[in-house]
Amino acid sequence: MARPSNTEERRQQIVEGLLRVMAERGYERASIAEIAKAAGLSPGLVHYHFTEKQEILLTLVEQLAGRVRERVKARLERVKGGARAQVDAFLDAYLATGEDADPSSVAAWVTISAEAVRQPEVRAAYEKVVRADLEHLEELVGAVIGRRRARAVAAGLFATVQGYFVLSAAAPGLTPPGSAAGTVKRMAAGLLDAAESPEGT
């Protein structure tokens, strides 16, 4: 029997419901009843569209990855300048505030990273996303300093981005509002300058 035509809409409501609950209470406290309430649906509909809570979480991982990649793509398309400007645009896409900033998604991503430590299926999905994004940054950094030295620089910058995510979600008052993108771009400039200098070779 064919599912109703609004299946994808309902699934999206449920995933957004999990995102909202996770951003406020974490994954463990995100019961099916709470997810359903946040989605404006009955718990029965949640069970109809997803076999278990982890399936909703894995769908959320894919969707958050897609959102940030769209943001990266949009920023890179607007770049005026060379390879360094592309590195800055990538970092802006992850960290800059603005009308497309999404603190709930950042908080949910931090929770997902914690669940990746506990759940092998979530770890696999998380690692796939992070590996692809890190490789993208490595490619952009490699266009500035060459592929041989790009891995260490890209990994350091990406780890700093993830650290800012954790601080903003777990202890929001510790970093000055709106400072992350500028700070990491200055770090990037220093690392790229050092790698380009004769001593950095």
Side-chain angles (χ1 to χ4, degrees), residues 12-45:
Q12 187 59 41
Q13 282 178 264
I14 294 164
V15 171
E16 290 293 330
L18 175 61
L19 187 151
R20 284 193 292 278
V21 175
M22 270 180 43
E24 293 177 11
R25 299 185 193 116
Y27 180 72
E28 282 299 312
R29 294 175 60 194
S31 67
I32 294 296
E34 289 293 322
I35 295 166
K37 183 178 177 183
L41 300 170
S42 71
L45 272 174

Side-chain angles (χ1 to χ4, degrees), residues 136-151:
H136 187 187
L137 179 57
E138 183 180 346
E139 180 182 312
L140 297 175
V141 168
V144 179
I145 62 173
R147 292 290 293 178
R148 188 170 56 84
R149 296 183 304 261
R151 168 66 52 107

Side-chain angles (χ1 to χ4, degrees), residues 2-191:
R3 289 196 171 188
S5 60
N6 65 359
T7 292
E8 284 310 310
E9 182 182 336
R10 291 288 178 257
R11 285 176 61 88
Q12 187 59 41
Q13 282 178 264
I14 294 164
V15 171
E16 290 293 330
L18 175 61
L19 187 151
R20 284 193 292 278
V21 175
M22 270 180 43
E24 293 177 11
R25 299 185 193 116
Y27 180 72
E28 282 299 312
R29 294 175 60 194
S31 67
I32 294 296
E34 289 293 322
I35 295 166
K37 183 178 177 183
L41 300 170
S42 71
L45 272 174
V46 174
H47 286 295
Y48 177 77
H49 291 288
F50 291 94
T51 56
E52 59 185 3
K53 186 169 79 165
Q54 188 189 73
E55 185 184 357
I56 308 169
L57 181 65
L58 294 172
T59 303
L60 178 60
V61 170
E62 291 174 13
Q63 288 191 7
L64 290 177
R67 289 177 194 178
V68 79
R69 286 175 185 155
E70 284 299 315
R71 193 173 176 182
V72 168
K73 181 180 176 188
R75 300 273 171 125
L76 289 174
E77 286 173 352
R78 293 194 305 261
V79 162
K80 304 284 190 255
R84 277 186 176 237
Q86 290 197 333
V87 172
D88 283 351
F90 181 98
L91 296 172
D92 267 339
Y94 272 83
L95 294 168
T97 55
E99 57 186 53
D100 62 345
D102 189 357
S104 292
S105 290
V106 171
W109 186 253
V110 170
T111 301
I112 288 165
S113 67
E115 288 304 313
V117 175
R118 298 170 20 139
Q119 300 184 48
E121 297 88 352
V122 179
R123 181 181 307 124
Y126 176 84
E127 184 179 340
K128 180 181 175 186
V129 169
V130 169
R131 182 182 303 278
D133 291 348
L134 176 55
E135 286 172 355
H136 187 187
L137 179 57
E138 183 180 346
E139 180 182 312
L140 297 175
V141 168
V144 179
I145 62 173
R147 292 290 293 178
R148 188 170 56 84
R149 296 183 304 261
R151 168 66 52 107
V153 171
L157 292 172
F158 201 77
T160 304
V161 167
Q162 298 301 312
Y164 263 108
F165 287 169
V166 171
L167 284 177
S168 71
L174 289 184
T175 57
S179 67
T183 300
V184 178
K185 287 194 298 187
R186 286 190 295 277
M187 288 175 62
L191 289 167

